[in-house]
Amino acid sequence: MPSVSSTQTIDINNIRKQFPILHQEVNGKPLIYFDNAATNQKPKVVIDAIESYYKGYNANIHRGIHTLAEKATKAFEDTRHYLRGFLNAKEAEEIIFTKGTTECINLVAASFGRKFLNKGDEIIISGLEHHSNIVPWQLIAEEKGAVVKPINVLDNGTLDLDHYKSLLSDKTKIVAVNHASNSLGTINPVKEIIAEAHKVGAKVLIDGAQATAHLNIDVQELDCDFYAISAHKCYGPTGTGALYGKRELLEAMPPYQGGGEMIKEVSFEKTTYNDIPYKFEAGTPNIADVVAFKKALEFIDETGKESIAAHEEELLQYARQKALTIPGLHIVGDSDHKVSVLSFLIDGIHPFDIGQMLDASGIAVRTGHHCTQPLMDHFGIEGTVRASFSVYNTKEEIDRMIEALQRVVKFMKP
C-alpha cells in the first residue's frame, strides 16, 4: 500500500465539479470513467490555462524580447521550476521538457546509449514494462551490440528481486524499470532496485508514468539517475512530459535532436551546443500544454497526494472485495503494494466482450494487453479487463460496475 499520512478528507462533490467531462451521458447512462491508467481527466483550471495562453499571450519563448514573448517564457519556465520542487530535483536545469514518458525513455536510450553503451554491455529491464520501456532499449542494443535482459515476474505480479540481483554484473550499464505497472498496478521497490544497480556502477531510469500522480516522488531520496513522467497521467494535457536527469549525466550526454534552442553557435564548420536543459529541447516546444501542466501539478498539491492516495486505496480495496464476489472472476497481479488498478478476467468471457458491454452501460474500462505483451505472455493470457481509479471516482460508481459485470455474467453464461 502507498504510504499515507496527514490526510485530509476528500470532498468528492467539490472534486467532481472541477472536471467538466464527467458530467455527461454515454450510451444514455451517466459516464463512469475507469480508464485513468491510460489517461486521467483534466480539471477546469488546466483547460482554462490552455485557453488563456492562446487568447492572451501566445508567443514563442526564450528568443523574443517583446511583452508577449517574455510573458510566455516566464510561464513556461515557471512550470520547470514547479516541477523541480514537485520531484525534489536539486535544480531546475535537471528538468527537460518532452512529449511524455515515451520520448523521455527514447531520449535516454538514444543519447546515453550512444555515448556509453558498447558491444557486450547489458541493459536490464523488467517483465512488467510497457512497450515504451522495452522497444527503445532493443533499438539501441541492436545498434550497439548490447544485450537486453528482463527481470522475471512472480505469480502475484511482483518482480523477482533475487533474479534481478543475479542479473547485475560489471557488464550492466543501465537498469530501466517502471515505478508502478500500468497493467497490474504493482508498485516496484525502486529505491532498492536503484541501490543494487549502483553497487555495480550501473545507471537507473525510472518510468514514473503511473506513479507520479499517486506517490510522493523524491528523486534525490531515491537517488535515481533519470525519472520520466507524462503530464496526461497527472491531470495535465496530452503531448507533454518531463525527464529528470542528474546534471553530470545530462552534461555528458550528446543532444538527442538538432535544431533551434539547443545551440549556442552554429557555423558550417562546427556547432556549439547549449547548456542543459536547452541542449535537449530542440525546436518550438508545446508551450501552451507545458504552461497548463503547472496547473495540474498545483491541483495535485492542493488536493494533497496523501489524500489522493488514501482515497484511491480505499476505492481499490472496495472494488477488489466486490469483484471477488462475481463467479469466475480472477484478479491478475494481486500484489499487496499497488496503485489503483484492478486487472481481471472472467472465466469463459473474452475481455473485449466485457469492455463492450460495460461501455453500453456508460462505464469506460480498458481491455487488451495494455502495451505489455511480454507480461501477458508470462501469464499465458491475451489480455485483461483493467479498471483504474482516480481521485474523482466513487464507491457508487464501483457498485454500478459490479452490477454491470453481474449482468454480463448472467447474459454470457446463463
Side-chain angles (χ1 to χ4, degrees):
M1 291 173 55
S3 175
V4 177
S5 62
S6 303
T7 58
Q8 59 191 48
T9 303
I10 291 284
D11 183 346
I12 193 65
N13 291 326
N14 179 56
I15 292 288
R16 288 180 65 84
K17 285 177 183 177
Q18 298 179 59
F19 290 83
I21 200 171
L22 299 179
H23 308 287
Q24 62 173 296
E25 289 190 348
V26 172
N27 295 320
K29 307 286 186 180
L31 170 64
I32 295 176
Y33 185 79
F34 285 164
D35 194 19
N36 293 287
T39 191
N40 50 30
Q41 299 302 340
K42 319 308 172 191
K44 191 172 183 296
V45 289
V46 170
I47 299 167
D48 289 347
I50 297 171
E51 182 180 29
S52 294
Y53 168 79
Y54 284 119
K55 280 186 173 181
Y57 54 103
N58 175 41
N60 215 327
I61 57 172
H62 295 139
R63 295 181 289 277
I65 60 170
H66 58 81
T67 299
L68 295 188
E70 290 184 346
K71 185 174 181 179
T73 298
K74 182 180 185 305
F76 185 90
E77 291 299 329
D78 280 351
T79 301
R80 195 190 310 274
H81 284 274
Y82 199 94
L83 268 167
R84 186 216 64 77
F86 193 82
L87 298 175
N88 194 32
K90 284 184 180 178
E91 49 189 322
E93 289 77 11
E94 294 179 319
I95 304 296
I96 298 164
F97 288 118
T98 67
K99 291 187 295 185
T101 300
T102 298
E103 187 177 37
C104 292
I105 297 168
N106 275 275
L107 187 162
V108 176
S111 181
F112 177 90
R114 292 203 176 102
K115 175 80 179 231
F116 295 108
L117 285 177
N118 295 298
K119 187 174 182 180
D121 286 342
E122 294 177 354
I123 303 161
I124 294 178
I125 58 175
S126 89
L128 288 174
E129 298 312 310
H130 190 282
H131 296 163
S132 62
N133 204 22
I134 300 174
V135 178
W137 302 112
Q138 291 174 327
L139 290 171
I140 194 65
E142 184 176 3
E143 177 183 326
K144 302 292 287 187
V147 179
V148 177
K149 293 191 170 184
I151 308 166
N152 290 341
V153 177
L154 301 174
D155 289 343
N156 67 348
T158 62
L159 293 181
D160 184 341
L161 292 182
D162 289 334
H163 181 242
Y164 166 61
K165 293 173 185 177
S166 75
L167 293 176
L168 290 166
S169 73
D170 57 3
K171 293 183 178 180
T172 308
K173 292 300 180 286
I174 191 156
V175 176
V177 298
N178 57 41
H179 200 158
S181 164
N182 72 296
S183 55
L184 306 183
T186 305
I187 299 172
N188 288 317
V190 292
K191 188 173 181 180
E192 180 180 356
I193 288 169
I194 294 162
E196 292 296 328
H198 286 169
K199 288 179 183 178
V200 299
K203 307 304 180 185
V204 184
L205 177 144
I206 302 298
D207 171 355
Q210 297 296 331
T212 314
H214 307 277
L215 308 175
N216 285 318
I217 310 298
D218 184 333
V219 294
Q220 291 190 70
E221 195 267 338
L222 289 175
D223 197 27
C224 57
D225 301 289
F226 304 99
Y227 199 96
I229 66 175
S230 291
H232 75 102
K233 303 291 178 75
C234 303
Y235 310 99
T238 57
T240 193
L243 172 71
Y244 158 80
K246 290 180 177 176
R247 171 180 278 276
E248 60 269 25
L249 287 172
L250 296 177
E251 288 183 336
M253 289 159 51
Y256 172 54
Q257 295 176 322
E261 193 64 38
M262 49 75 64
I263 57 90
K264 281 187 176 178
E265 298 287 341
V266 176
S267 71
F268 287 117
E269 290 72 33
K270 182 177 175 59
T271 292
T272 304
Y273 303 129
N274 209 341
D275 298 327
I276 63 168
Y278 309 112
K279 180 172 74 171
F280 296 102
E281 294 179 353
T284 298
N286 188 354
I287 302 168
D289 289 346
V290 168
V291 170
F293 189 12
K294 179 171 180 280
K295 295 297 182 180
L297 298 172
E298 288 173 342
F299 167 80
I300 292 172
D301 281 342
E302 288 166 8
T303 306
K305 268 198 181 182
E306 292 84 0
S307 299
I308 293 171
H311 178 71
E312 292 175 345
E313 175 69 11
E314 187 175 352
L315 292 177
L316 177 63
Q317 295 307 323
Y318 184 80
R320 181 186 183 279
Q321 180 184 13
K322 292 284 187 176
L324 289 174
T325 66
I326 296 173
L329 187 145
H330 307 279
I331 295 173
V332 181
D334 200 19
S335 167
D336 292 333
H337 199 48
K338 295 176 65 171
V339 293
S340 49
V341 171
L342 188 73
S343 211
F344 63 90
L345 292 169
I346 298 177
D347 290 340
I349 310 178
H350 197 280
F352 184 77
D353 293 329
I354 297 171
Q356 278 199 317
M357 296 179 78
L358 289 179
D359 183 60
S361 297
I363 303 167
V365 296
R366 183 59 59 113
T367 64
H369 55 63
H370 317 299
C371 295
T372 57
Q373 284 182 301
L375 180 60
M376 298 297 113
D377 290 343
H378 167 77
F379 285 112
I381 57 179
E382 292 182 20
T384 69
V385 180
R386 183 186 69 189
S388 47
F389 313 115
S390 189
V391 66
Y392 42 68
N393 291 130
T394 67
K395 289 181 179 178
E396 290 75 20
E397 290 180 318
I398 291 170
D399 288 339
R400 279 187 50 201
M401 180 183 73
I402 298 301
E403 290 167 3
L405 287 172
Q406 289 168 339
R407 290 194 297 271
V408 170
V409 172
K410 185 176 181 179
F411 178 77
M412 299 293 289
K413 299 172 68 174

